[in-house]
Amino acid sequence: MRRNQTKKIGDLLKEFSQSSKFNKKLNETKIVENWEKILGKTISSATRNIYVQNRVLYVYLDSSVIRHELFMMRSQLLNALNESVNQKVIDHIVFK
């Protein structure tokens, strides 16, 4: 017997991830992964820890000079990181 409403497994997984809380966590993980792509290896190597919690991106840096420069570029970074996942995932960035 053949079913009339067959769907591809990839489409089903996409629907499932979009309809659940997985999508939020996946986008947060993508933002953390995109940090190096957007800012480059130099700044990424000065980053000790980076994570998202309650729509805030926390970034721990080794260099106070880089921290200050990134602080000045905070709004551009926020827009670039959100655009990298095509959604507004983070509202604020905290540099420590």
Side-chain angles (χ1 to χ4, degrees):
M1 291 184 79
R2 186 170 184 171
R3 297 183 183 190
N4 293 333
Q5 297 178 348
T6 58
K7 292 185 179 182
K8 294 181 182 178
I9 189 96
D11 295 338
L12 290 172
L13 288 173
K14 187 175 180 180
E15 286 177 23
F16 175 73
S17 70
Q18 289 176 351
S19 66
S20 64
K21 294 181 182 180
F22 290 120
N23 195 30
K24 177 183 170 190
K25 278 295 188 190
L26 284 173
N27 285 333
E28 289 176 358
T29 304
K30 287 179 187 177
I31 283 190
V32 171
E33 289 175 357
N34 290 339
W35 178 259
E36 182 178 348
K37 293 176 188 173
I38 291 172
L39 292 167
K41 291 189 182 222
T42 305
I43 294 177
S44 180
S45 66
T47 304
R48 279 188 288 146
N49 192 9
I50 180 170
Y51 63 93
V52 178
Q53 184 177 17
N54 297 329
R55 299 182 62 92
V56 177
L57 180 68
Y58 293 93
V59 181
Y60 291 85
L61 297 160
D62 292 330
S63 171
S64 62
V65 175
I66 293 174
R67 184 182 311 120
H68 180 71
E69 290 294 322
L70 292 177
F71 183 79
M72 300 301 285
M73 298 174 46
R74 191 173 37 182
S75 61
Q76 292 99 349
L77 286 173
L78 184 66
N79 290 335
L81 289 167
N82 281 328
E83 286 177 8
S84 71
V85 292
N86 297 323
Q87 276 189 333
K88 186 167 182 168
V89 177
I90 55 175
D91 296 326
H92 190 66
I93 302 175
V94 174
F95 298 106
K96 295 185 175 190

